[in-house]
Amino acid sequence: MDKLIKLSQVIFPELTDEDTVESLEALFPERGLKEGAKVTRMAPSPTGSMHIGNLYGALADERIAHTATDDGVFILRIEDTDDKREVPGAVDLIIKYLGAFGIEFDEGATADGDSGAYGPYRQRSRAKIYHIVARKLILEGRAYPCFCTEEELAAIHAAQEENKENFGYYGKWAKYRDFDIDEAIAKIENGESYVLRFKSLGDPSKKVDFKDQIKGKLSFPENDQDFVLLKSDGIPTYHFAHVVDDHFMRTTDVVRGEEWLSTLPWHVELWRACGFKMPRFCHTAQVMKLDEETGTKRKMSKRKDPECTLGFYFEKGYPAKSTIEYLMTLLNSNYEQWRSANKEASYKEFPFKASNMGNSGAMFDLAKFNDVSKNIISQMTADEVYEGVSTWAKENDEDFYKILSADPEYAKSYFAIGRGGKKPRKDFSCWSEVKDFVSYYYDELFKIEEAFPENVSAEDKRAILKDYAEIYSAEDDNNAWFEKIKTICDKYGYTSDMKAYKENPDAFKGSITDVSNVIRVAVTGRNNSPDLCTVMKVLGSERVNKRILAAAE
Ligand code: GLU
C-alpha cells in the first residue's frame, strides 16, 4: 500500500473513502447569490470580553454584507479552538451585545444552536471537515506529522538566535519534513504525540503580489514556514481553520484585523495548496487613541481605557445609535460629509465601501464621540429620551428609575424643554448623565448646589426673593416673567439695560442677570439651567413658591 495512504489512515482512522474534499464541495456548494452579493463573517473567540475593535469590525462586516445587495450574508462563526480561554455563556453575550447595537447575523451560531446550511458554525464541531482537508494534504505530500517536543523546538529557536537566522520551523530546521514515513507511522502507532504541519514549497527570495481591499497592492516574500495545521489533539490552528471555513462557508470577503497581515503569506500558500479560490481580503486598521500622558498615538487598551470594552457603553448608557454613528465616521472617511447632506437618513442608507476604509489606525476620540452622542440625543423626542433614560435607569439606578416612573408625563415635560427647534439643547451625551442635569425637578434630589451671585448682598437676595414670591404667577408667559424681574431690578438698583451696564458697570449694583440668577439658584440650585420661565412652569407653582421662600429665609 502507498505509504502516504497508510500514514493518513493511522492519523485519521475515523475517515472513510466517502469523506473526500469533493463530498464537502457538494455539501457546501457555491451559494448562487445575486451578482455583487457579499458573504462576510465575524469570527470571535468566545473569551467573554468584547471590545470596541470587535464592534468596529462587526459593523464593517455587516455593512459590507448588507450594503451592496439584499441577499448578502453575514455569518457568526465561533472560533472555540482554544478551550482553555473559553468562558461559558460567551456566545450568548456576543449575540446579545451586538444585537443591542442593532447588528444582526443572517446565519451561524445563535443562542440556541446553529442556523444555516453551511455549518456547523463552531469550530470544535467541525473537526471532521478539517480532517478531510488535512488528509488530502497528507496524500499530496503537503502535510506531515512532526514529533518535536517543546524542548526540541526551544533548542531550534536558540540555535537560530545564535546563528542570526530567521526563527521558525522551515527548511533545514524542519526536522520531520523529510522523515521516513514508515518510522512516522510506527511512532504514531506507538502513541507518540505529534502535530500536523504544512509542507511549504515557498521560496522567500520570490515575491507574492496581493491586493487587499483596504490596504491596496501589497507585495511580500513567499512563505517558507512549515506552520502547524492541526494541534496534537486534532484541533486546527487559526490558519488552517480560516482557510477551510472561509472556503466551505463560501465567504466572499474576509474582513479581519491587520494583525493578520504578518501571517498572510502563510494563508496565501495554504489556500493555493488546498486548491481553493481565495476570497477578497479586507485587513482593517486597529482602533487607536491619543495617549493622554505622552500625546502619542497608541492602540486602545482594555487595561488603560475604559472606553475600550463594550460594557462601558452599556454602563454609561450611550444610545446604541450614538456608538454606531461614531464608528461609521471612523470606518468610512466620507461618512461625515454624507451625513451632513442626509441628516435624517439611517446609516444603512450610506453607500459603505471597504475601499473607503482608512488604512492607518482609526483614531477613537472620546470627546468627539461625546459630541456625536449629544447631537444624537438632542435630535430625539422627549418620549424617546424618557424611554432611553428609564430603560437605562431600570438596570443601573433603581432609585432614579422609581422616581422617573412615578410620573412619566412630568419627566417628559422637562425633557421637552429646548427640543425640536433648529438649535436643540445638547445637555447630555449618555443616560447616566441625566440624573445630575434634572435632579432639581425632584424635591428628594433638589439641593442648592451653587452659590448665589457674589455681587448680590444677602439682604438684597432676601428682598428680591420675597418680592418675587409675591408677584410670581405660574401663568406668566415669557414677557410677563421678564417684566416682573425688571420691576425688581429697578427697585433695588440692578439694571435691565445691558448696554448701559456694560458701558458703566460701576453705576449699578449689578444687572438683570444677577437678579434672575438669584431666582434661578433658589429654584434650581444652580447658575445654569434651560429657560428659567419654562423650567418654573414645569416645576409648578407649589414647588417654586416653596423653594423661593426657603431661600429667602
Ligand atoms: N478569532 C480571530 C480574531 O479574533 C478571527 C480573525 C478573523 O476574522 O479571521 O482575531
Side-chain angles (χ1 to χ4, degrees), residues 137-334:
L137 291 173
I138 293 173
L139 293 174
E140 292 174 355
R142 298 303 307 271
Y144 63 90
C146 162
F147 303 89
C148 274
T149 60
E150 294 284 331
E151 293 72 32
E152 280 178 291
L153 292 174
I156 292 175
H157 190 89
Q160 287 167 339
E161 187 155 37
E162 189 156 328
N163 296 355
K164 297 201 167 45
E165 295 195 42
N166 286 341
F167 291 127
Y169 195 95
Y170 61 94
K172 65 176 182 189
W173 301 100
K175 179 172 170 191
Y176 288 96
R177 192 178 154 95
D178 298 312
F179 193 58
D180 182 76
I181 298 173
D182 288 328
E183 275 187 62
I185 292 170
K187 274 175 173 288
I188 294 171
E189 285 179 332
N190 214 10
E192 281 190 40
S193 172
Y194 65 95
V195 298
L196 191 75
R197 285 186 184 270
F198 179 55
K199 189 179 223 173
S200 169
L201 302 179
D203 173 358
S205 69
K206 292 193 191 134
K207 293 268 185 194
V208 182
D209 289 326
F210 185 88
K211 184 163 180 291
D212 185 84
Q213 302 300 304
I214 297 174
K215 307 272 169 197
K217 279 191 185 151
L218 302 173
S219 173
F220 42 76
E222 282 182 11
N223 168 57
D224 66 346
Q225 295 281 338
D226 286 0
F227 55 89
V228 176
L229 300 174
L230 294 177
K231 296 181 255 186
S232 55
D233 53 3
I235 297 289
T237 55
Y238 166 78
H239 316 291
F240 190 42
H242 147 59
V243 171
V244 172
D245 292 347
D246 284 320
H247 176 66
F248 287 113
M249 291 182 188
R250 306 294 173 181
T251 306
T252 61
D253 293 71
V254 171
V255 181
R256 63 181 183 187
E258 64 187 3
E259 64 275 18
W260 295 108
L261 278 175
S262 61
T263 44
L264 181 59
W266 302 13
H267 305 152
V268 171
E269 195 188 359
L270 185 55
W271 276 94
R272 290 182 182 154
C274 291
F276 300 153
K277 180 173 176 286
M278 268 174 55
R280 283 181 293 265
F281 281 80
C282 309
H283 285 95
T284 58
Q286 310 243 19
V287 180
M288 315 280 283
K289 74 173 273 177
L290 214 55
D291 188 281
E292 276 149 27
E293 277 165 31
T294 61
T296 52
K297 218 170 150 177
R298 64 163 169 79
K299 233 181 106 175
M300 275 258 223
S301 135
K302 276 193 207 164
R303 204 169 38 81
K304 290 190 197 157
D305 311 312
E307 72 272 30
C308 187
T309 45
L310 289 192
F312 170 83
Y313 301 85
F314 296 110
E315 279 152 32
K316 291 270 179 190
Y318 284 99
K321 208 175 163 188
S322 303
T323 311
I324 295 296
E325 182 73 8
Y326 183 61
L327 289 182
M328 287 298 285
T329 68
L330 293 188
L331 280 166
N332 263 198
S333 51
N334 54 333

Side-chain angles (χ1 to χ4, degrees), residues 321 325 335-350 372 375-376 378-380 421-424 426:
K321 208 175 163 188
E325 182 73 8
Y335 183 77
E336 272 174 276
Q337 204 185 350
W338 173 86
R339 171 55 82 207
S340 51
N342 299 275
K343 291 215 164 58
E344 306 288 318
S346 157
Y347 71 96
K348 296 188 175 173
E349 290 169 40
F350 171 71
V372 166
N375 203 28
I376 296 253
S378 77
Q379 287 160 6
M380 293 181 178
K422 273 219 162 104
K423 278 199 154 186
K426 296 183 180 176

